[in-house]
């Protein structure tokens, strides 16, 4: 299918081609792969994983989560191939959700936004922890929470500035980000075991379990702890729907975008597993990772510090590895802002945001949604001021819980495709054939389970810090704002299906409307 045909498909949806198609399949793959950076996942999640089971659940959880996430990616890639439009999940839900499409689209859109905001915040947070660890290792000075907040917001602002430049610079950033993650993992996996004077056994990496008597969290059973250990991979392998948000900027999007989505999941799961196992074999002291005194509670930094300190008597050279983590984190933050800005631009076209006409503006110089770029930066910045400043733990918890919103945004379009539109959906060139329904239902089941896992409180009894606030806000806020008398979104939200209906009458549109 040519790009001219794809632009005609946008016209059928009542949309015009406003982006330049500057991205190819490699750039889209790079964006999705960089968002799922294993360096960011381990930087942000290894500390938590050490408290909820340790190396065994982390390594096995990564392998299991990789396979099931690939099923989800295959199901979404099939939908993306048939409906390559920016905004992805919320547009798909509207077109596949039948008479309930508008409401489901509204919920999906806000769930996707909260999930992408959590991704952006987590990338900046992980990068900040690496920066703080480098400062402490080199100077011996512990970075205060206020200074951490400034570093966090500085990383977000830098990401916004890069996204405001040009599509060509973004393409290069995704190329460099891919190189940093692949070459960086190879470098670290070869370097750490070589430097490490002591290497753990496979028994430690794959079979060691820290039960509830060791964990600082109060939990009902060891099984509860083990299940929480899966979260390390869930924190990493999210955001692969970014390929859909860039589909209007891609050449041959109905084929290249779904391929990039599938490839990025496979690459992230493989490279991430290699990095995880590589660093676990080099753990010098399990107890040291619980306290991480050299890096102010940052487990990955402590692990790397211990390796170099054990070999050379000083951990200064560990900054060489942490510097790679910082570069990878910066690239991930840039990629997350890119994805979020495209989703918000599409959402604004449907009049879903306050001041939608303002945010649906496209820069004429670079054909980029500059205003939604900075809106994507503003969300995590405000959240960090409200949460991180008074309580860094609360901010980290809310960011972690925000990933459940991303899972919900992935699950709703797949569910609609399998139920309401099971006889009417027309697949594109990338499809699963007879395996479509089987893989789809596996994906829906896994998404339900993973949302439950992400919503589990770390400790009991549940305090305010342990409440799944982001998902409650998404579901409760979406329903209240939809049904609000007179001013509810049902009175003014223009979902993609309504845009298509008002644009022109075609057999394809009638086909969608009959769903």
């Amino acid at each position: 299918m040519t790009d001219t045909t794809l632009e005609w498909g946008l016209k059928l949806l009542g949309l015009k081609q406003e982006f330049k198609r500057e991205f190819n399949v490699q750039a889209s793959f790079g964006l999705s792969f960089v968002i799922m950076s294993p360096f960011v996942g381990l930087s942000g999640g290894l500390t938590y994983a050490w408290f909820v089971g340790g190396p065994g659940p982390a390594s096995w959880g990564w392998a299991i989560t990789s396979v099931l996430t690939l099923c989800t990616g295959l199901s979404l890639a099939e939908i993306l191939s048939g409906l390559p439009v920016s905004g992805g999940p919320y547009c798909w839900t509207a077109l596949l959700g039948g008479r309930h499409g508008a409401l489901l689209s509204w919920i999906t859109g806000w769930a996707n936004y909260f999930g992408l905001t959590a991704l952006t915040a987590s990338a900046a947070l992980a990068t900040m922890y690496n920066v703080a660890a480098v400062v402490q290792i080199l100077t011996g000075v512990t970075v205060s929470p206020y200074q951490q907040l400034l570093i966090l917001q500085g990383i977000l602002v830098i990401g916004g500035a890069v996204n405001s430049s040009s599509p060509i610079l973004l393409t290069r950033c995704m190329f460099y980000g891919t190189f940093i993650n692949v070459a960086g993992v190879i470098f670290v996996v070869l370097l750490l075991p070589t430097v490490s004077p002591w290497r753990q056994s496979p028994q430690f990496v794959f079979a060691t379990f820290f039960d509830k008597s060791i964990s600082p969290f109060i939990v009902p059973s060891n099984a509860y702890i083990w299940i929480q250990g899966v979260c390390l991979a869930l924190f990493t392998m999210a955001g692969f729907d970014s390929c859909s948000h860039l589909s209007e900027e891609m050449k041959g999007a109905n084929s290249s975008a779904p391929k990039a989505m599938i490839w990025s999941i496979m690459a992230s799961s493989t490279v991430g597993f290699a990095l995880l196992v590589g660093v676990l074999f080099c753990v010098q002291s399990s107890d040291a990772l619980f306290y991480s005194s050299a890096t102010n509670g940052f487990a990955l930094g402590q692990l790397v510090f211990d390796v170099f300190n054990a070999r050379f008597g000083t951990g200064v050279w560990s900054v060489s590895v942490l510097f790679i983590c910082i570069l990878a984190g910066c690239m991930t933050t840039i990629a997350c802002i890119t994805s979020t800005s495209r989703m918000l631009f599409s959402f604004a076209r449907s009049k879903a945001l306050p001041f939608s006409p303002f945010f649906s503006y496209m820069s004429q110089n670079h054909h980029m949604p500059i205003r939604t770029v900075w809106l994507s930066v503003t969300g995590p910045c405000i959240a960090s001021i409200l949460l991180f400043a008074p309580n860094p733990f609360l901010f980290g918890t809310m960011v972690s819980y925000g990933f459940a919103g991303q899972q919900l945004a992935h699950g709703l379009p797949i569910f609609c495709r399998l139920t309401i539109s099971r006889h009417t959906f027309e697949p594109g060139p990338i499809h699963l054939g007879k395996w479509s329904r089987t893989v789809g239902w596996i994906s829906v089941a896994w998404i339900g389970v993973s949302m439950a896992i992400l919503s589990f409180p770390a400790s009991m009894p549940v305090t305010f810090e342990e409440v799944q606030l982001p998902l409650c806000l998404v579901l409760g806020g979406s329903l209240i704002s939809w049904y609000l008398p007179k001013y509810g979104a049902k009175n003014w939200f223009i979902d993609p299906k309504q845009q298509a209906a008002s644009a022109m009458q075609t057999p394809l549109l009638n086909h969608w409307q009959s769903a």
Side-chain angles (χ1 to χ4, degrees), residues 100-221:
H100 302 294
L103 172 60
L104 294 176
S105 174
W106 176 256
I107 296 173
T108 303
W110 284 109
N112 201 8
Y113 169 64
F114 271 77
L116 289 170
T117 300
L119 274 174
T120 307
S122 67
L125 187 66
T127 309
M128 180 273 292
Y129 283 137
N130 281 298
V131 172
V134 168
V135 172
Q136 184 167 346
I137 290 171
L138 293 179
T139 67
V141 176
T142 301
V143 180
S144 69
Y146 177 73
Q147 292 169 328
Q148 291 178 2
L149 178 61
L150 291 179
I151 296 171
L152 173 64
Q153 297 200 333
I155 294 168
L156 290 168
V157 170
I158 291 172
V162 173
N163 272 276
S164 301
S165 54
S166 70
I168 295 177
L169 179 59
L170 276 179
T171 302
R172 290 175 179 173
C173 283
M174 295 310 104
F175 171 79
Y176 293 136
T178 303
F179 175 79
I180 290 169
N181 277 281
V182 175
V185 167
I186 294 173
F187 173 76
V188 172
V189 169
L190 292 177
L191 175 68
L192 284 186
T194 302
V195 173
S196 176
W198 165 259
R199 287 179 289 276
Q200 298 287 348
S201 66
Q203 174 77 14
F204 173 83
V205 174
F206 297 106
T208 299
F209 172 65
F210 302 148
D211 62 25
K212 66 176 185 176
S213 65
I214 299 176
S215 175
F217 302 125
I218 302 174
V219 294
S221 66

Side-chain angles (χ1 to χ4, degrees), residues 153-493:
Q153 297 200 333
I155 294 168
L156 290 168
V157 170
I158 291 172
V162 173
N163 272 276
S164 301
S165 54
S166 70
I168 295 177
L169 179 59
L170 276 179
T171 302
R172 290 175 179 173
C173 283
M174 295 310 104
F175 171 79
Y176 293 136
T178 303
F179 175 79
I180 290 169
N181 277 281
V182 175
V185 167
I186 294 173
F187 173 76
V188 172
V189 169
L190 292 177
L191 175 68
L192 284 186
T194 302
V195 173
S196 176
W198 165 259
R199 287 179 289 276
Q200 298 287 348
S201 66
Q203 174 77 14
F204 173 83
V205 174
F206 297 106
T208 299
F209 172 65
F210 302 148
D211 62 25
K212 66 176 185 176
S213 65
I214 299 176
S215 175
F217 302 125
I218 302 174
V219 294
S221 66
N222 287 331
Y224 191 92
I225 283 280
W226 202 97
I227 292 172
Q228 283 184 307
V230 177
C231 286
L232 177 61
L234 285 173
F235 294 153
T236 305
M237 284 181 280
F240 51 84
D241 64 324
S242 58
C243 295
S244 67
H245 301 314
L246 255 68
S247 58
E248 292 180 33
E249 300 173 71
M250 294 184 63
K251 302 171 184 177
N254 64 327
S255 178
S256 56
K259 286 180 181 177
M261 180 182 289
I262 297 169
W263 293 347
S264 64
I265 296 172
M266 295 174 66
S268 178
S269 59
T270 303
V271 173
F273 186 74
L275 180 62
L276 173 64
V277 172
V279 299
L280 288 178
F281 270 110
C282 298
V283 172
Q284 302 300 296
S285 170
S286 297
D287 292 338
L289 298 192
F290 279 103
Y291 304 104
S292 304
S293 56
T295 53
N296 196 24
F298 176 45
L300 180 63
Q302 182 71 43
L303 188 155
V304 177
F305 177 88
D306 288 344
V307 169
F308 284 89
N309 188 52
R311 170 65 68 181
F312 302 111
T314 175
V316 171
W317 291 105
S318 63
V319 299
S320 60
V321 174
L322 296 180
F323 184 68
I324 296 174
C325 296
I326 292 172
L327 287 177
C330 289
M331 292 300 176
T332 300
T333 305
I334 292 169
C336 288
I337 293 172
T338 302
S339 182
T340 308
S341 65
R342 271 50 175 185
M343 181 269 157
L344 286 176
F345 176 80
S346 179
F347 216 28
R349 289 190 304 195
S350 297
K351 307 295 188 296
L353 298 179
F355 310 107
S356 285
F358 176 81
F359 288 115
S360 59
Y361 170 79
M362 178 70 67
S363 170
Q364 298 304 309
N365 292 331
H366 302 301
H367 289 270
M368 298 177 69
I370 303 298
R371 293 173 181 175
T372 54
V373 164
W374 289 104
L375 183 61
S376 303
V377 173
T378 302
C381 282
I382 293 176
S384 65
I385 293 172
L386 295 178
L387 299 175
F388 188 89
N391 188 341
F393 176 77
L394 178 59
F395 179 71
T397 302
M398 291 300 107
V399 166
S400 300
Y401 283 168
F403 284 79
Q406 191 75 349
Q407 293 293 90
L408 178 63
H410 292 165
L412 283 175
I414 299 176
F415 181 78
C416 291
R417 151 81 178 90
L418 294 171
T419 55
I420 300 172
S421 297
R422 61 187 181 278
H423 299 305
T424 56
F425 173 73
E426 296 184 1
I430 306 298
H431 58 88
L432 301 177
K434 65 179 182 179
W435 294 102
S436 178
R437 291 185 61 80
T438 301
V439 175
W441 282 116
I442 291 174
S443 302
V444 170
W446 164 240
I447 288 170
V449 170
S450 61
M451 285 179 62
I453 293 173
L454 288 167
S455 300
F456 282 171
S459 187
M460 296 182 179
V462 180
T463 62
F464 176 76
E465 288 83 359
E466 307 294 341
V467 175
Q468 180 32 297
L469 190 59
L471 191 59
C472 293
L473 287 174
V474 168
L475 294 175
S478 297
L479 292 174
I480 292 172
S481 60
W482 180 263
Y483 289 109
L484 194 67
K486 189 177 179 179
Y487 301 105
K490 67 178 181 180
N491 299 313
W492 45 265
F493 174 56

Side-chain angles (χ1 to χ4, degrees), residues 61-71 233 237 265 268-270 273:
W62 193 290
I64 295 169
T65 300
S66 296
V67 174
L68 294 171
T69 299
L70 180 60
C71 290
M237 284 181 280
I265 296 172
S268 178
S269 59
T270 303
F273 186 74

